[in-house]
Amino acid sequence: MEFIKYEKDGSIGWLTVNKPQALNALSSSVLKEMKACLEEAGQDKDLRCLVITGAGDKAFVAGADIKEIHGLNVETAAQFAGFGQDLFTKIENFPVPVIAAVNGFALGGGLELALACDFIYASENAKFGLPECTLGLMPGFGGSVRLARKIGPNLAKEWTFTGDMHDADKAKKVGLVNKVCDSEELLEKVTKVAHTIAKRAPLAIAAIKHTIDSTYGMDISAAMKVERQEFAKLFSSQDVKEGTQAFIEKRKPEFKGI
Ligand code: CO8
């Protein structure tokens, strides 16, 4: 692949958007390669956590490719937005947790990509924003919807109506980012949390991810039902027996994802 690099570190997958000369801007070629990469990684039964980051030290992703957007019409804009929305929804529904390691600019489509991940760790030089309105545009890869869900509609409106950029500390204060790290330490901290997740029971992690995502905005009794069903389903897995047995025997569990 030309614009996407994919590497495995044990059971952790690292997907890097690799077009640093354009601050990793998302052209349709980049998105197509990302889709192919995710489809393959999604089949990997040994994968326990996926990290998405950007190449270089300046940007995670500085948005969709403005040069390509410039040539769109109503029809092709709908196709481009639809492709990106479907892809980012695949990331949201990816079978294992996905962490965004934001190492610089996460703007426009770049922030929309990070928003589709389960959570974000950022370097102290990270900058977040949805500046589409400064280009006569609006977010088209799910950003208007997901930003409002993550930081609330009032702030999401201010961010998208002004197009302003926000630093990592601000992004953490509003709950967009889980952790802010020194730039040199970002990958180390992400690796650490990814390995912790990788040690946990994979079926439990998948059930928790599904429950949190699918119950968002549901009324409480319907949400409890989903949790109860997912909880009960886990009892058909060997890992529940292993986890509880290991506790009783005062040893570390060995989860197999079955
Ligand atoms: N698209 C294409 N090229 C880009 C982009 C981008 N989003 N961002 C940066 N680049 C390119 C620059 O053109 C430049 O290339 P060249 O050297 O060939 O001129 C190179 O990357 C380096 O960028 P700069 O020289 O501008 O670097 P600076 O450090 O001066 O500035 C910034 C960094 C502030 C990040 C600046 O590059 C910038 O403002 N970039 C654009 C940010 C932006 O507006 N992003 C939103 C784009 S719109 C979007 O994402 C919509 C998503 C929904 C789409 C739905 C599909 C229809």
Side-chain angles (χ1 to χ4, degrees), residues 124-252:
E124 58 196 353
N125 69 327
K127 293 263 187 290
F128 298 85
L130 291 177
E132 283 87 346
C133 66
T134 67
L135 298 160
L137 299 166
M138 65 174 286
F141 292 157
S144 340
V145 178
R146 290 196 179 99
L147 187 67
R149 288 183 187 200
K150 298 236 180 181
I151 68 172
N154 296 353
L155 274 179
K157 283 180 182 170
E158 189 177 337
W159 284 31
T160 48
F161 294 171
T162 61
D164 285 349
M165 280 192 226
H166 306 273
D167 65 22
D169 285 335
K170 172 87 174 289
K172 171 134 190 330
K173 268 195 201 115
V174 301
L176 176 62
V177 162
N178 282 15
K179 194 188 265 289
V180 180
C181 317
D182 287 346
S183 301
E184 318 78 63
E185 282 181 359
L186 174 67
L187 298 188
E188 188 192 312
K189 300 276 187 206
V190 171
T191 302
K192 191 163 176 248
V193 70
H195 279 291
T196 300
I197 292 168
K199 276 190 268 172
R200 307 305 182 216
L203 295 175
I205 298 295
I208 295 165
K209 176 169 164 153
H210 170 72
T211 303
I212 292 175
D213 286 339
S214 69
T215 60
Y216 192 89
M218 243 185 211
D219 78 78
I220 196 87
S221 65
M224 291 300 154
K225 193 173 169 201
V226 174
E227 188 191 65
R228 198 161 62 238
Q229 284 167 342
E230 291 297 320
F231 179 83
K233 260 199 277 173
L234 289 175
F235 282 79
S236 63
S237 75
Q238 287 179 22
D239 280 351
V240 167
K241 299 282 176 252
E242 167 61 11
T244 47
Q245 186 74 24
F247 176 83
I248 293 161
E249 292 171 3
K250 300 189 186 302
R251 61 172 174 82
K252 284 200 179 345

Side-chain angles (χ1 to χ4, degrees), residues 49-80:
C49 189
L50 178 71
V51 181
I52 299 184
T53 193
D57 52 11
K58 209 171 156 187
F60 172 70
V61 168
D65 189 323
I66 298 170
K67 290 160 195 166
E68 189 170 341
I69 289 176
H70 180 67
L72 297 176
N73 58 37
V74 171
E75 237 167 59
T76 52
Q79 281 162 10
F80 193 18

